[in-house]
Each structure stands twice: as structure tokens, then as C-alpha cells.
Amino acid sequence: MRRDIFQAIADPTRRAIIALIAVQAMTPNAIAENFNSTRQAVSKHLRILAECELVKQEQQGREIYYSLEIEKMKEIDKWLEQYRAIWEAQFNQLDNVLIKLKNQKK
Amino acid sequence: MRRDIFQAIADPTRRAIIALIAVQAMTPNAIAENFNSTRQAVSKHLRILAECELVKQEQQGREIYYSLEIEKMKEIDKWLEQYRAIWEAQFNQLDNVLIKLKNQKK
DNA sequence: ATATTATGAAACTATTTGGTTGCAAATATA
DNA sequence: TATATTTGCAACCAAATAGTTTCATAATAT
């Protein structure tokens, strides 16, 4: 049972859930209203998101409010960092080419 | 058959392949040497990566060199953008709290 | 010309995934 | 107290996934 953040965001429904609860904390029922699948299916997605600590839960009576654990999202950003370094380097190279072209014009 | 970039990076082997070919273009055989699974399994991963345009291929004789399509990685960055906005806003709020505390000290 | 090498594709398999229905527990309301 | 609501969990199922073995094709080396 793989359960890391990359696996969590692979599913489009889960990405939609993340987008929803990023705005405001919501109950499973309220979240499920936004999808065609059953509440239980959404509940399963929430469990997966909770297992890799992408969401936090706050019990309020019989309702449970789910909200995004934004800190966890930084893990993806951290992973991207190495590739961002590459594309920024490429951009700078392009920049150098443009500068050279400019100088040749003179 | 879902085939988007999020699904592509969900698999740890594929992320490892991405990391490998980000450094330099490599043939399927050379890539496979870095893993325990068969060349064919790696080949399948490469096909998935190619299908969502995360890698580009360059034929050289009977060898095919695979390299990372860094532009495609920006799609993840673009998706992260909205959440980066959130955690930066939270950071600024924390910053404001610290400033207030500092002023109270005076 | 023949053998070797590099590769992709097809067929098959075990496991995982995302979904369903049904049920039990806890809380709120009449 | 009896009933309704909110939720999670277990059992089940179809489809997708990641892997394997086997085979075909094309390029290179002998």
C-alpha cells in the first residue's frame, strides 16, 4: 500500500477535493455534494489524503471538518526544486544567447 | 487510461527515471541498469512518460536516447502556484504577528 | 550472410485502485 | 426515548497498473 503525496495527488478527484478544502474547511457530506460519486467514495479519498497527512480533521459534534494541510504541499515544491533549477539555468542560457545576438548587432 | 503528468509522477520508479535522464540523455538499457526490474518494465515506464510528453526521444542508430522534457515539468509548478500563494499568505500573516510582538516589546 | 545487440509490442498475471452497497457507532432532534 | 443525521468501516467488484516472459524488427558487428 503505497501512500505518499505523489500517489495522493495522482487522482483527479483528490486534486479537486484538495482545491475545495484549500478555500475552507468542509464536511465529507458537503464535499461529496460536489461530485457524482457516493459519499463513501469521497470518504475513502479523504482517508487516503489523511493517511499521507495532506488534510487535517476537526471534529465538531457529529460533523468532521476537513481542511488542507498546506505544509505538506511544500513537499511537492521541494521535489520540484531540482527541476526548477534546470529550467532556470536553461532560461539563463537563452538569456545569454539573446545578449550575444544583441552585441553582434552593434 | 488516464495519462496525465500527475499520474506519471505518481510511480516512484518513474520519478527515479526522470531524475536520471534530467542529468543526461540515456538509452533504455542504460536506464534499466539502475533498477532491479527488467528492461521491458522500464521501457513501459518510458512509454508512459513519452505519452504525456515528459520525455523526448532521439534516435541514434539503433539506440534511442531519452531525455527530460523540462518544459512539461512546469505544469506541476503551475498547479502548485495556487497553493504556494496560500502558504506565502500564511507566512506573511505570521510575519505580521512577529512584527506586532516586536512592537509590543518596545 | 550470419550473429549480436537494442528496442518496442503483445500476451499474460498478480496486485492495487476506485467505486459500490450495507452496516454500525455517535450525535442531534422530535 | 425514539428517530434522524453524519460519519467511518468492511465486503465485494470491475478496471487499471506494474510487472513478467516471449516474440518481432531493425541496426550493427563479425
Side-chain angles (χ1 to χ4, degrees):
Chain A
M1 207 186 302
R2 272 178 304 144
R3 204 95 323 158
D4 64 33
I5 193 169
F6 294 101
Q7 213 268 324
I9 64 165
D11 184 84
T13 304
R14 280 197 290 271
R15 286 202 301 281
I17 291 175
I18 289 173
L20 270 177
I21 63 174
V23 180
Q24 61 175 341
M26 291 174 82
T27 64
N29 261 329
I31 295 168
E33 278 171 19
N34 295 275
F35 301 96
N36 293 326
S37 55
T38 59
R39 174 192 63 77
Q40 283 89 339
V42 169
S43 207
K44 266 182 136 184
H45 283 304
L46 284 172
R47 198 162 78 112
I48 289 167
L49 293 172
E51 271 172 18
C52 60
E53 297 170 298
L54 253 169
V55 299
K56 45 177 182 269
Q57 309 170 35
E58 202 189 336
Q59 184 106 26
Q60 238 170 66
R62 68 184 160 190
E63 292 180 327
I64 301 175
Y65 282 85
Y66 284 84
S67 59
L68 184 62
E69 189 69 76
I70 194 78
E71 276 297 315
K72 194 70 180 183
M73 297 291 280
K74 290 187 187 177
E75 269 190 26
I76 304 165
D77 196 57
K78 207 176 155 191
W79 176 76
L80 256 191
E81 198 61 39
Q82 57 191 315
Y83 302 106
R84 190 175 301 119
I86 293 173
W87 77 61
E88 277 172 4
Q90 287 191 358
F91 181 76
N92 288 337
Q93 277 187 335
L94 176 64
D95 217 42
N96 289 340
V97 169
L98 292 177
I99 287 167
K100 275 184 191 168
L101 282 173
K102 203 177 166 188
N103 289 341
Q104 282 180 348
K105 265 193 187 172
K106 287 183 190 172
Chain B
M1 207 185 303
R2 271 177 304 141
R3 205 105 310 168
D4 64 33
I5 193 169
F6 294 101
Q7 213 268 324
I9 63 165
D11 184 85
T13 303
R14 281 197 290 270
R15 286 201 302 281
I17 291 175
I18 289 172
L20 270 178
I21 62 174
V23 179
Q24 59 175 340
M26 291 173 82
T27 64
N29 261 328
I31 295 168
E33 277 171 20
N34 295 275
F35 300 96
N36 292 328
S37 55
T38 61
R39 174 192 64 78
Q40 283 86 341
V42 169
S43 205
K44 265 181 135 185
H45 284 304
L46 283 171
R47 197 162 79 109
I48 289 167
L49 292 172
E51 271 173 18
C52 61
E53 297 169 299
L54 252 169
V55 301
K56 45 176 180 271
Q57 310 170 35
E58 200 189 336
Q59 185 107 25
Q60 240 171 64
R62 67 183 161 190
E63 292 180 326
I64 301 174
Y65 282 84
Y66 284 85
S67 59
L68 185 62
E69 189 69 78
I70 194 78
E71 276 297 314
K72 195 70 178 182
M73 297 292 279
K74 291 188 187 175
E75 269 188 26
I76 304 164
D77 197 56
K78 207 175 156 192
W79 176 76
L80 256 190
E81 197 62 38
Q82 58 191 316
Y83 302 107
R84 190 175 301 120
I86 293 173
W87 77 61
E88 277 171 4
Q90 287 191 358
F91 181 78
N92 288 338
Q93 277 187 334
L94 174 65
D95 216 44
N96 289 340
V97 170
L98 292 177
I99 289 166
K100 275 184 191 169
L101 282 173
K102 203 177 166 189
N103 289 341
Q104 282 180 347
K105 266 193 185 171
K106 289 182 187 174

